[in-house]
Amino acid sequence: MDYYVISPVSNLEPMKLGDRIFALAHLWVQFPEYRKFILEQKEQGKFITLDNSAAERALVTEEVLIGICKVLLPNEVIAPDVLFDKQATIANAVNFKARMDAEGLSSNIDIFFCPQGQTKEDWIETYKWGLNQDWIGVIGLSKIAVPNAFLNDFEDDQRIKEARHECYDYLKENSLLKKPIHCLGQGDPTEFSYYEHPMMRSTDSVYPVLAAVHGQDFSVDHETRTPTPHSFLEEFDLSNPADIDFSLIEKNIAFLGLQCRIPELLRASL
């Protein structure tokens, strides 16, 4: 699996340590320095995923998302989804695809779909709907929607690994891993060493940075999960080297990277 690193706007350099770049729409709108950084990464040939910021409770409008697509031309964009709402998420995706077609963007930008649903049954139906749309290239497993659907638990930002493992097992056992999968967000980084199926493509997270800020070394403690404050990316000051252990940030990112590579290494050894 590939991995993306997300970092506070005050210091975006840790993002360069990931395999790909994850651009958050609400930060693009708010911060000129963020737009500049993302565009520089694009110019350097980095793969760019444009996120609609639904998980940050800052869902931007379709109009804004289309506007960003016109300027950035990301490799893929996450269609607007609505947390826990199957029908609204499907309707939004259909409308978004039509708008992408009308703006002449569909031929250059892939559409990434994030299933939603209040129950496990609804979530699975939404997932299957995404599989059946030939214009959807990637499907995302939300760190919020999947625990809510599979474990009926999302409030405390915990049990992300357990929920997605259960989801993965279900999809694998029912031959539903037919499109590339991206795991949105991260809890325990050892989650990713479990995914031996080649359709498990990638993950993104700010957590290696957030954990390091709290002094958490993944090589010592990878299980503790401190919920990510919604204002962390916008407000936390990561700019002063005297206040931040950047070596720990790099160490945590390396730990995440190793977990993502384990399935690939195992497959290569067979």
Side-chain angles (χ1 to χ4, degrees):
M1 293 179 70
D2 282 353
Y3 60 97
Y4 304 63
V5 177
I6 300 174
S7 187
V9 175
S10 57
N11 188 341
L12 299 170
E13 287 299 304
M15 292 176 66
K16 295 179 180 178
L17 299 177
D19 296 312
R20 306 175 183 217
I21 296 293
F22 204 74
L24 291 157
H26 72 292
L27 298 183
W28 174 281
V29 171
Q30 294 179 69
F31 300 101
E33 64 270 33
Y34 187 82
R35 294 194 292 273
K36 181 175 182 291
F37 175 86
I38 297 298
L39 286 169
E40 287 173 350
Q41 301 310 300
K42 174 70 175 177
E43 290 170 0
Q44 292 172 19
K46 286 290 188 75
F47 185 103
I48 309 289
T49 297
L50 175 60
D51 181 46
N52 61 38
S53 297
E56 288 71 27
R57 310 304 204 280
L59 182 64
V60 300
T61 65
E62 177 186 284
E63 191 71 30
V64 170
L65 206 56
I66 290 292
I68 299 172
C69 283
K70 289 180 178 179
V71 175
L72 179 58
L73 290 178
N75 297 84
E76 63 189 17
V77 57
I78 304 179
D81 56 301
V82 181
L83 284 173
F84 316 134
D85 193 324
K86 167 188 171 183
Q87 297 300 337
T89 295
I90 290 174
N92 281 2
V94 171
N95 292 338
F96 188 68
K97 164 62 173 170
R99 182 67 187 279
M100 290 281 285
D101 289 345
E103 298 289 347
L105 295 168
S106 294
S107 60
N108 297 313
I109 304 172
D110 292 334
I111 293 180
F112 176 132
F113 178 67
C114 184
Q116 295 288 346
Q118 187 60 52
T119 64
K120 177 179 177 179
E121 292 71 25
D122 276 355
W123 188 93
I124 291 169
E125 287 178 8
T126 314
Y127 177 93
K128 290 180 177 178
W129 180 87
L131 281 185
N132 291 328
Q133 312 309 308
D134 59 7
W135 46 271
I136 289 175
V138 179
I139 294 181
L141 304 186
S142 165
K143 73 168 187 175
I144 301 173
V146 171
N148 183 65
F150 282 79
L151 297 180
N152 195 28
D153 179 13
F154 73 95
E155 291 288 352
D156 58 1
D157 206 16
Q158 305 295 322
R159 303 179 73 199
I160 298 166
K161 177 176 80 169
E162 293 81 359
R164 281 206 294 233
H165 281 184
E166 184 172 326
C167 176
Y168 168 81
D169 288 344
Y170 177 89
L171 298 176
K172 182 181 175 184
E173 290 165 7
N174 289 277
S175 301
L176 292 172
L177 289 170
K178 297 179 179 179
K179 288 185 177 181
I181 299 292
H182 176 89
C183 293
L184 290 150
Q186 173 206 317
D188 182 337
T190 62
E191 170 192 345
F192 307 107
S193 63
Y194 186 72
Y195 301 135
E196 86 283 2
H197 198 286
M199 280 297 170
M200 300 301 288
R201 187 197 75 173
S202 52
T203 185
D204 69 272
S205 187
V206 69
Y207 199 61
V209 178
L210 177 66
V213 166
H214 290 290
Q216 180 181 350
D217 182 338
F218 284 162
S219 67
V220 176
D221 173 17
H222 55 75
E223 294 180 346
T224 298
R225 180 63 165 88
T226 303
T228 306
H230 291 305
S231 61
F232 181 71
L233 295 176
E234 295 94 325
E235 298 178 4
F236 187 81
D237 187 2
L238 197 70
S239 61
N240 190 347
D243 298 334
I244 306 296
D245 186 350
F246 282 92
S247 65
L248 184 53
I249 291 176
E250 293 174 356
K251 187 177 180 183
N252 282 351
I253 292 171
F255 187 94
L256 169 62
L258 176 61
Q259 300 304 310
C260 290
R261 298 290 192 253
I262 285 174
E264 180 182 334
L265 294 172
L266 290 175
R267 287 197 300 269
S269 68
L270 297 177

